[in-house]
Amino acid sequence: MSRALPLRVAVATAAVLATMAPILLPAPAAVAETTRPAASNGHRHGQDVIVSRATDVYPEGIAWDPTRRAFLVGSALRGTLSVIRMDGTVTELAPSIGMVSTLGLRVDTARNRILVAYSDFWIRQRLDVGDQPPTSGVAVYDLETGELEQRIDVSGGRERTFANDLTFDPRGNIYVTDSVSDTVQRIDLAGNVTPVATDPRFAADIVGLNGVVWHPHGYLLSLRYDTGEMYRITPGAPAHRRVAEVRLPRPLIGTDGLQLRSDGSLVVVTNSIGAAVGVPGGEDGVSVLTSRDGWRSARVTSQIKPWPTGGPTTVAFTPCGDYVLSGEVGAALAGATSDQITLRRLPSRMSNKENIR
């Protein structure tokens, strides 16, 4: 983690972050790669691969916005929020919120809001953040306008903090993973932050607990990036029964983003990005997991490894299929540069045709 960005990249990035100016994205990008649409299963239209270009964005998180019929992405370098259309066009929705990375995203249409986990964990490994204390939180945006409505701190004054991913339940409570902490936090609709579960199995030096989803039966599912261990976290259970490890046939090392399908299966995206910063990374791939015992154990029902595009981080469900994001985050962590963003659709054999959002 001590490897520094090339001087010209670090200086340019620092200037952008320090000014907090809106990003000047390139002109609307045409789809750089298209392939024959997959056989129709009632909702699959559009391209199998969407390639966009946007300077210094490096998105790690993605969500489908049904109101715009487009993707929303964050920025690992600039702390912004952008829209990617199905034709590959990239436009900024919300300017930088400071020297942070905008990471996990969720769209809460019922409450007209966009939820974004943010942290300066990666930024402070590369740049001088001055007297800024370790920063992690959740940014709440107005879904219609993209206006920032609220920033909720979840760092709790800790010296090391890394809010990475989030999800929410039917009541609007937000759940946030901190990849270096032993605690999963909950934020209620009033903005109050309370611990949901604290467990020594969650804590890590760099990237531990990462992707998280809410299951409609009243619990969370989350995996550690570095060890590939999976946990079921039940907020309402007694403390000694709140966290249980889910038995897997083998660890899913390098797990980043998760999405739970309407049929109950779980899409898990793994990558090798961690190798750039000394974290045991996995293999670039996508797996589909199912469970027959309420996620006390799980099995892999389908899998693609290696994934055709390097560095996948998460997946978004759309009416046109399930798209996996590769935003070149690994290149940024390794000190390289790239303006490419790739969205690649899962093949029909791995897709759930009921996943229409």
Side-chain angles (χ1 to χ4, degrees), residues 85-110:
R85 301 285 179 182
M86 293 297 288
D87 65 357
T89 302
V90 183
T91 56
E92 183 184 278
L93 177 62
S96 173
I97 58 172
M99 298 185 72
V100 297
S101 303
T102 38
L103 300 167
L105 281 85
R106 300 284 176 179
V107 172
D108 183 0
T109 54

Side-chain angles (χ1 to χ4, degrees), residues 5-266:
L5 284 172
L7 179 60
R8 63 181 180 82
V9 179
V11 171
T13 305
V16 172
L17 291 169
T19 59
M20 294 177 60
I23 296 176
L24 297 178
L25 292 174
V31 177
E33 178 182 352
T34 60
T35 57
R36 182 179 67 255
S40 174
N41 62 8
H43 71 277
R44 294 178 65 83
H45 304 285
Q47 308 301 332
D48 283 338
V49 181
I50 303 168
V51 178
S52 300
R53 298 192 180 277
T55 304
D56 288 344
V57 176
Y58 302 101
E60 190 267 355
I62 190 171
W64 174 252
D65 177 3
T67 67
R68 292 179 173 83
R69 298 190 63 80
F71 301 95
L72 302 180
V73 297
S75 171
L77 280 188
R78 296 199 178 192
T80 58
L81 197 60
S82 298
V83 178
I84 300 180
R85 301 285 179 182
M86 293 297 288
D87 65 357
T89 302
V90 183
T91 56
E92 183 184 278
L93 177 62
S96 173
I97 58 172
M99 298 185 72
V100 297
S101 303
T102 38
L103 300 167
L105 281 85
R106 300 284 176 179
V107 172
D108 183 0
T109 54
R111 298 168 187 84
N112 192 46
R113 59 182 185 168
I114 305 165
L115 308 174
V116 182
Y118 67 84
S119 174
D120 70 349
F121 186 84
W122 290 130
I123 297 294
R124 66 175 50 247
Q125 311 304 320
R126 301 302 184 190
L127 300 172
D128 180 5
V129 299
D131 59 359
Q132 175 172 293
T135 302
S136 279
V138 171
V140 181
Y141 298 85
D142 182 279
L143 177 58
E144 182 177 355
T145 66
E147 180 180 355
L148 179 65
E149 296 183 328
Q150 192 175 15
R151 287 182 62 163
I152 305 166
D153 176 74
V154 299
S155 67
R158 295 187 298 274
E159 293 184 359
R160 301 180 72 250
T161 179
F162 185 7
N164 199 333
D165 200 12
L166 50 72
T167 188
F168 62 94
D169 66 21
R171 295 184 177 181
N173 295 306
I174 304 166
Y175 301 87
V176 189
T177 59
D178 186 320
S179 292
V180 296
S181 171
D182 61 358
T183 301
V184 175
Q185 305 280 4
R186 174 171 47 206
I187 304 171
D188 64 21
L189 286 173
N192 300 309
V193 181
T194 54
V196 171
T198 299
D199 194 293
R201 291 173 290 182
F202 296 164
D205 290 333
I206 301 178
V207 189
L209 214 58
N210 195 339
V212 63
V213 295
W214 174 262
H215 193 282
H217 289 173
Y219 50 83
L220 302 164
L221 296 173
S222 186
L223 282 97
R224 282 187 64 130
Y225 181 92
D226 53 358
T227 65
E229 296 167 345
M230 184 175 185
Y231 297 96
R232 168 179 159 152
I233 305 164
T234 308
H240 67 285
R241 297 176 52 192
R242 197 164 296 172
V243 179
E245 185 173 351
V246 178
R247 297 188 304 277
L248 299 174
R250 58 187 176 278
L252 289 168
I253 297 174
T255 292
D256 200 331
L258 311 176
Q259 284 285 4
L260 187 68
R261 288 173 163 170
S262 56
D263 67 355
S265 61
L266 185 70

